[in-house]
Amino acid sequence: MIDVPLSVLDVAPVAANGSPGEALAHTTALARRTEELGFRRFWVAEHHNMPAIASSAPAVLLAHLAANTSTMRVGSGGVMLPNHAPLVVAEQFGTLAALHPGRIDLGIGRAPGTDQATALALRRTVEGLSAEQFPQELASLFNYFTQDEPGPIMASPGAGERPEVWLLGSSGYSAQLAGLLGLPFAFAHHFSAQNTLPALALYRDRFTPSRWLDEPYAMVAVSVVCADTDEQAQFLSGPAGLSFLRLRQGRPQPLATPAEAAAYPYTEVERIFMADRQVGQAVGSPSTVSGQLSALLEATRADELMLTTMVYDVKDRIRSFELVSQLT
């Protein structure tokens, strides 16, 4: 049995022969269903210049998702701060927090979440694009919410409307910063499994109590595909693996069907890449997934798990979360 809260990370995957509009409708349906199932929060991730992903504007999508749910927390997993002026993020999430009090999470990342050319198109200047400026930009964002150092510019909404802020990471940098600032920390185990344990150790070791949090709180994001049998789950997981491979090869495409992914002529090098990517994932029947998630919890001592399920058909996506919800 899984004895920690479960949450959802979604990227609004665009299926082959589908459209972004259909992908966003499917994400909305998933949010409604996972709220019914008792999942704690529903996050969407900022990505750009990727035809397989429709969650490029988290604040806009979150306004829609919050309006279509009533109790679940909704948030960003995350907003990539180098892409945006801190004032814009403060106003966007201040507006969300004012509209939906007590339900908004602001997960912040320090990577662009895209290629540098696209990042430059977003920000229109090289200023702020470097991760080296992240601590200063983060401090500026916090000040818009708290007004600890009032200045000539006020975020309205924003000042006094602070959402719950998380730092996201796939390495040790944000883990240490989250600890020093006394913030909750979410780790991207789903694409950086080899760094999970070292990063969590750094976070807990560096943690300093703050006005936001008395004790460290770590959430681990993990890829999960749960189906009635191990074989079916493996079959359904194929498109996500192929999509990731194509992305790393610099040729992102919409999500293939499971049959197309199974028939893809993988080279030996590509098969090794796919096998490495599957390390740390939870794919299989309910009993298999239960064992995999229990092992992950034992190793990480996570306070919460965030599940991301990228499969071709939204019915299979919803079914996976239904099956996992029965493991708690």
Side-chain angles (χ1 to χ4, degrees), residues 220-263:
V220 172
V222 54
S223 293
V224 176
V225 178
C226 192
D228 292 322
T229 66
D230 289 347
E231 294 76 17
Q232 184 184 11
Q234 288 291 341
F235 180 67
L236 294 177
S237 71
L242 179 57
S243 178
F244 193 70
L245 173 64
R246 286 169 166 170
L247 177 63
R248 286 302 173 90
Q249 293 173 336
R251 49 189 187 98
Q253 298 177 30
L255 206 60
T257 67
E260 289 170 340

Side-chain angles (χ1 to χ4, degrees), residues 131-154:
E132 295 176 0
Q133 299 299 315
F134 182 72
Q136 294 87 343
E137 300 235 319
L138 186 64
S140 177
L141 173 62
F142 273 33
N143 192 58
Y144 283 124
F145 288 129
T146 64
Q147 290 292 291
D148 287 343
E149 298 180 12
I153 300 173
M154 176 177 288

Side-chain angles (χ1 to χ4, degrees), residues 18 50 122 124 135 138 141 157 166 185 205 219 239 280 290 297 315:
M50 296 184 185
L122 286 162
R124 300 200 300 171
L138 186 64
L141 173 62
W166 291 66
F185 177 59
D205 181 61
M219 178 164 63
S290 178
L297 282 173
K315 294 179 182 177

Side-chain angles (χ1 to χ4, degrees), residues 30-319:
L30 180 64
R32 289 172 175 155
R33 182 58 180 140
T34 51
E35 180 178 66
E36 293 172 349
L37 294 169
F39 285 79
R40 173 171 287 188
R41 60 187 97 235
F42 193 104
W43 284 7
V44 296
E46 177 186 350
H47 293 282
H48 302 278
N49 197 26
M50 296 184 185
I53 292 176
S55 58
S56 57
V60 179
L61 180 53
L62 291 175
H64 174 74
L65 295 176
N68 278 272
T69 54
S70 58
T71 58
M72 174 187 279
R73 298 190 67 90
V74 298
S76 60
V79 162
M80 301 295 106
L81 192 55
N83 294 342
H84 311 284
L87 176 59
V88 172
V89 178
E91 290 176 337
Q92 290 176 343
F93 279 80
T95 300
L96 288 168
L99 288 169
H100 305 280
R103 293 187 58 210
I104 303 300
D105 296 334
L106 171 54
I108 301 171
R110 72 182 183 100
T114 186
D115 59 89
Q116 284 296 313
T118 306
L120 183 59
L122 286 162
R123 195 72 179 259
R124 300 200 300 171
T125 172
V126 295
E127 297 297 327
L129 292 180
S130 171
E132 295 176 0
Q133 299 299 315
F134 182 72
Q136 294 87 343
E137 300 235 319
L138 186 64
S140 177
L141 173 62
F142 273 33
N143 192 58
Y144 283 124
F145 288 129
T146 64
Q147 290 292 291
D148 287 343
E149 298 180 12
I153 300 173
M154 176 177 288
S156 180
E161 299 287 357
R162 182 183 183 275
E164 184 175 291
V165 178
W166 291 66
L167 283 195
L168 315 183
S170 58
S171 65
Y173 180 94
S174 291
Q176 295 182 75
L177 186 58
L180 291 170
L181 296 177
L183 294 172
F185 177 59
F187 189 81
H189 177 80
H190 58 302
F191 64 79
S192 187
Q194 70 277 13
N195 292 325
T196 304
L197 297 184
L200 293 178
L202 280 172
Y203 170 61
R204 292 173 178 130
D205 181 61
R206 301 291 195 275
F207 186 82
T208 302
S210 68
R211 72 173 90 174
W212 323 118
L213 201 60
D214 293 328
E215 297 179 345
Y217 191 94
M219 178 164 63
V220 172
V222 54
S223 293
V224 176
V225 178
C226 192
D228 292 322
T229 66
D230 289 347
E231 294 76 17
Q232 184 184 11
Q234 288 291 341
F235 180 67
L236 294 177
S237 71
L242 179 57
S243 178
F244 193 70
L245 173 64
R246 286 169 166 170
L247 177 63
R248 286 302 173 90
Q249 293 173 336
R251 49 189 187 98
Q253 298 177 30
L255 206 60
T257 67
E260 289 170 340
Y264 183 85
Y266 295 97
T267 67
E268 185 61 27
V269 171
E270 290 172 339
R271 290 187 186 280
I272 293 172
F273 174 87
M274 297 284 283
D276 288 343
R277 181 188 173 273
Q278 288 183 338
V279 174
Q281 295 186 7
V283 179
S285 66
S287 60
T288 298
V289 168
S290 178
Q292 292 166 333
L293 294 182
S294 295
L296 179 63
L297 282 173
E298 183 177 357
T300 63
R301 297 182 289 118
D303 300 289
E304 187 171 340
L305 291 179
M306 177 161 273
L307 316 182
T308 181
T309 300
M310 195 168 181
V311 297
Y312 179 81
D313 193 310
V314 68
K315 294 179 182 177
D316 293 321
R317 198 147 113 243
I318 291 173
R319 177 61 175 163

